[in-house]
């Protein structure tokens, strides 16, 4: 299911309009081989996948966008719907297919596909079904784009990022989970809203599991470069720890609230993943809390586990993990979060 033809040839004789409209100038060289052509593939065209695709298009992050899904009719419909907006968007070639060959040569493969939980189904059984699904997704992506970066969005994202790493055979720096990048955005929004400042001026991270055992790094929060807790201490301004815990709790519960109200989350994760794509493909070297191979960091040594840590991202994927100072309590919570994920992984067999 390729992109609709451009109709540059018309009529039974095959008049080539491109040749009629444009004639090459004399003594010209062919296009430079050093010119970079950026290709992104999105696997899964559900609400999350399409929000990501739409944001990638509007932010002009790719020269080519490939969509893959098992549902051919919906896939073609989504492709056509995006193509019909071509006059309002930066020029991007859009292809779609149920065949993974359409992803060949991708710089970034974003996986959003995943099984939905059935009524009464355990989380472990759901995870096992998703692992089986990933067994049919990741190997073809690795085959057709052996030099790409894998960005996993499907939940439970930390375990599925680990599974993708194992299935792909890629080095760990090129397998990344979206992790707590969105959680941290929600965290920054709530703090900014609480203090009536711009969220972009708030530096704050949620790390660990993308889930209930996530850890809020209160000790490193700053606003406009001012460390918040140190400022309160120096100004002898009292605060209750429970207030901080309530903000973190609101972060954890915010996704459930959105899902209960509209049935799913889409726009925030779309912007979050596009933000990660920009940092990776444009070699921005920005720091994001994303799910990475955490073994060896902050005393996490119980096994190979992926969880979110503040990582510098660039064209090579994960360039390094930021050495942020954590309090003893934060370190203990982070290790506990790692143990939670490892326990789930151990049940996979």
């Amino acid at each position: 299911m390729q992109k609709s033809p451009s109709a540059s040839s018309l009529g039974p004789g095959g008049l080539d309009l491109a040749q009629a409209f444009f004639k090459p100038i004399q003594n010209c060289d062919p296009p430079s081989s050093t010119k970079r052509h950026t290709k992104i593939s999105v696997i899964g065209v559900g609400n999350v996948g399409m929000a990501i695709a739409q944001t990638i298009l509007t932010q002009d992050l790719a020269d080519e966008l490939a969509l893959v899904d098992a549902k051919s009719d919906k896939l073609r419909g989504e492709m056509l719907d995006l193509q019909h907006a071509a006059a309002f968007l930066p020029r991007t070639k859009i292809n779609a297919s149920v065949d993974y060959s359409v992803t060949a040569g991708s710089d970034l493969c974003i996986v959003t596909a995943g099984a939905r939980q059935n009524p009464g189904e355990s989380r472990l059984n759901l995870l096992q079904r998703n692992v089986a699904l990933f067994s049919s997704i990741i190997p073809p992506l690795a085959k057709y784009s052996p030099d790409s970066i894998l960005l996993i969005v499907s939940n439970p994202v930390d375990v599925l990022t680990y599974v993708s790493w194992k299935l792909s055979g890629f080095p760990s720096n090129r397998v990344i989970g979206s992790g707590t990048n969105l959680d941290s955005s929600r965290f920054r929004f709530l703090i900014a809203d609480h203090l009536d400042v711009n969220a972009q001026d708030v530096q704050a991270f949620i790390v660990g599991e993308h889930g209930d055992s996530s850890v809020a790094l209160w000790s490193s929060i700053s606003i406009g470069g001012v460390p918040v807790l140190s400022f309160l201490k120096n100004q002898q301004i009292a605060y209750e720890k429970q207030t901080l815990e309530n903000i973190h709790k609101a972060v954890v519960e915010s996704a459930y609230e959105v899902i209960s109200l509209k049935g799913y989350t889409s726009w925030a994760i779309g912007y979050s993943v596009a933000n990660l794509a920009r940092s990776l493909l444009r070699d921005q070297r920005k720091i994001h809390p994303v799910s990475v191979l955490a073994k060896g960091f902050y005393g996490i040594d119980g096994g190979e586990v992926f969880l979110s840590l503040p990582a510098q991202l660039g064209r090579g994927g994960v360039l390094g993990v930021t050495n942020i100072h954590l309090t003893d309590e934060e370190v203990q919570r982070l290790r506990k979060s790692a143990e939670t994920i490892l326990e789930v992984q151990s049940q996979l067999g």
Side-chain angles (χ1 to χ4, degrees):
M1 185 192 306
Q2 296 297 319
K3 180 181 181 294
S4 300
S6 60
S8 62
S9 61
L10 296 176
L15 173 64
D16 193 334
L17 289 181
Q19 291 295 325
F21 268 79
F22 305 105
K23 294 182 179 180
I25 62 173
Q26 295 182 3
N27 302 320
C28 66
D29 282 337
S32 170
S33 60
T34 61
K35 183 178 179 181
R36 180 144 197 98
H37 178 87
T38 302
K39 180 175 180 177
I40 298 176
S41 291
V42 177
I43 316 305
V45 296
N47 295 314
V48 171
M50 290 314 299
I52 292 170
Q54 188 265 350
T55 311
I56 284 171
L57 289 173
T58 57
Q59 294 189 4
D60 195 15
L61 297 180
D63 301 296
E64 184 175 354
L65 177 66
L67 305 176
V68 179
D69 198 280
K71 299 178 180 179
S72 58
D73 286 348
K74 177 173 172 55
L75 183 62
R76 179 167 175 79
E78 295 288 8
M79 178 191 72
L80 291 172
D81 209 4
L82 291 177
Q83 288 176 351
H84 295 167
F88 316 117
L89 293 169
R91 185 172 185 263
T92 303
K93 182 180 180 181
I94 304 172
N95 289 330
S97 178
V98 297
D99 191 325
Y100 282 83
S101 61
V102 77
T103 67
S106 295
D107 298 281
L108 177 65
C109 295
I110 302 171
V111 182
T112 72
R116 291 192 176 186
Q117 192 165 12
N118 295 322
E121 182 179 29
S122 69
R123 291 183 66 185
L124 178 60
N125 189 60
L126 173 65
L127 175 58
Q128 289 171 331
R129 288 202 293 125
N130 273 322
V131 170
L133 177 63
F134 268 50
S135 297
S136 65
I137 292 175
I138 302 301
L141 293 178
K143 172 187 174 182
Y144 288 111
S145 301
D147 299 318
S148 70
I149 297 170
L150 291 178
L151 178 53
I152 310 304
V153 183
S154 312
N155 282 316
V157 67
D158 301 299
V159 177
L160 290 179
T161 303
Y162 166 80
V163 169
S164 299
W165 174 52
K166 289 296 186 180
L167 288 171
S168 67
F170 282 8
S172 59
N173 62 296
R174 290 199 283 118
V175 184
I176 305 166
S178 56
T180 57
N181 195 55
L182 177 52
D183 305 63
S184 297
S185 175
R186 290 166 173 152
F187 192 35
R188 293 167 66 187
F189 161 73
L190 290 171
I191 294 170
D193 192 52
H194 192 73
L195 299 176
D196 196 21
V197 297
N198 192 311
Q200 293 185 2
D201 289 327
V202 178
Q203 293 296 313
F205 292 122
I206 299 286
V207 297
E209 179 197 16
H210 173 58
D212 296 342
S213 72
S214 65
V215 182
L217 299 185
W218 287 102
S219 64
S220 61
I221 291 177
S222 66
I223 298 175
V226 179
V228 172
L229 295 190
S230 297
F231 173 79
L232 295 177
K233 182 178 179 181
N234 292 336
Q235 296 294 318
Q236 297 183 335
I237 299 174
Y239 65 92
E240 293 184 2
K241 189 175 181 180
Q242 187 59 45
T243 301
L244 308 184
E245 294 292 342
N246 288 341
I247 294 177
H248 180 213
K249 183 180 179 182
V251 171
V252 174
E253 294 178 349
S254 58
Y256 300 120
E257 181 182 9
V258 174
I259 292 171
S260 69
L261 292 170
K262 61 177 276 189
Y264 55 89
T265 62
S266 57
W267 300 120
I269 188 63
Y271 281 106
S272 173
V273 173
N275 184 241
L276 296 176
R278 178 183 295 277
S279 291
L280 291 164
L281 298 180
R282 300 278 175 84
D283 200 29
Q284 294 288 294
R285 296 176 177 260
K286 290 180 64 177
I287 297 170
H288 297 268
V290 289
S291 192
V292 299
L293 182 60
K295 187 175 183 178
F297 296 104
Y298 301 106
I300 299 171
D301 52 15
E304 294 175 329
V305 61
F306 278 71
L307 52 73
S308 287
L309 297 174
Q312 186 185 45
L313 302 184
R315 196 62 189 79
V318 179
L319 306 181
V321 172
T322 310
N323 190 19
I324 293 179
H325 173 74
L326 306 185
T327 66
D328 291 342
E329 181 182 0
E330 288 168 344
V331 169
Q332 291 303 316
R333 288 190 175 190
L334 184 59
R335 292 175 184 171
K336 183 65 176 176
S337 188
E339 291 170 6
T340 300
I341 300 170
L342 280 168
E343 184 179 351
V344 174
Q345 282 182 195
S346 68
Q347 298 177 59
L348 292 176

